[in-house]
Amino acid sequence: MGVPTPFDVGQAHPRLAELAVVVRTPGEFASGHLPDAVIVSLDRPARSLPELRRAAERRPLLVVCASGARSENAVATLASQGIAASSVTGGIQAWTAEGHGLRYPDGSRKRAVWAMERQVRFTAGVTVLIGPALGLLLQPSPTLLSAAIGGGLVFSALTNSCAMAVVLGRLPFNRQGVGDRV
């Protein structure tokens, strides 16, 4: 089974009522999601495959994340398991840039958790800053920490994946509300 072509916002918006919209993490859900979206944790796809397979039998799946990159990876993973799904090119960012609204769990715009990509940028930045500071205070070897983060960012860009996002997605504040299922 091939990977379906992603929808652009103009294609996804009119079809929203006929799609099962899946948001990848509770943090993304809390930060604003497409109408009628549900949370299915895709950091460990094997756990979610049965419910995604059942949902895909009822309606086509649309996987959404903040920028569209991680949802494209999730769509490829699902396709390798025989589950058809699509993503929105540009993700939530493109959705809102086109002027479409988001829904929030409690009806307010309060962001309980930062978006995953913001968490990754913050964590990478702090880690890169800590490496040289520790190197100056202790010994030069902590600067290797900054080099490792830089190498990880390059690898992430080349492979369109992000190990740091997977790790951060497992933290407790990113796992609240996982009970909202397809």
Side-chain angles (χ1 to χ4, degrees):
M1 165 182 271
V3 177
T5 304
F7 292 144
D8 64 30
V9 173
Q11 295 167 313
H13 185 261
R15 294 190 58 198
L16 210 51
E18 67 188 65
L19 300 168
V21 180
V22 176
V23 177
R24 297 194 69 240
T25 69
E28 289 170 331
F29 190 82
S31 297
H33 55 271
L34 275 59
D36 299 320
V38 295
I39 306 166
V40 176
S41 182
L42 294 175
D43 60 340
R44 296 183 195 166
R47 285 187 185 174
S48 303
L49 287 176
E51 72 180 303
L52 288 167
R53 195 175 310 282
R54 285 190 301 274
E57 290 170 358
R58 293 189 304 267
R59 299 190 301 178
L61 295 181
L62 182 66
V63 182
V64 182
C65 70
S67 71
R70 287 175 298 110
S71 58
E72 285 181 26
N73 290 338
V75 166
T77 299
L78 293 173
S80 73
Q81 297 297 316
I83 300 172
S86 292
S87 63
V88 175
T89 302
I92 294 289
Q93 294 168 355
W95 183 266
T96 57
E98 293 281 329
H100 301 297
L102 299 175
R103 302 292 187 272
Y104 300 87
D106 61 1
S108 73
R109 291 183 148 226
K110 183 179 92 176
R111 296 183 96 166
V113 177
W114 282 356
M116 183 57 64
E117 290 169 22
R118 186 174 181 191
Q119 291 180 48
V120 167
R121 289 191 309 266
F122 179 80
T123 303
V126 166
T127 307
V128 167
L129 289 173
I130 288 173
L134 289 176
L136 290 173
L137 295 173
L138 303 174
Q139 58 178 330
S141 62
T143 57
L144 295 175
L145 181 64
S146 297
I149 293 296
L153 291 170
V154 170
F155 180 79
S156 175
L158 293 173
T159 62
N160 200 23
S161 64
C162 186
M164 190 180 293
V166 171
V167 171
L168 290 171
R170 292 181 179 158
L171 294 175
F173 55 83
N174 283 323
R175 302 206 48 83
Q176 60 193 8
V178 174
D180 300 325
R181 297 291 181 167
V182 174

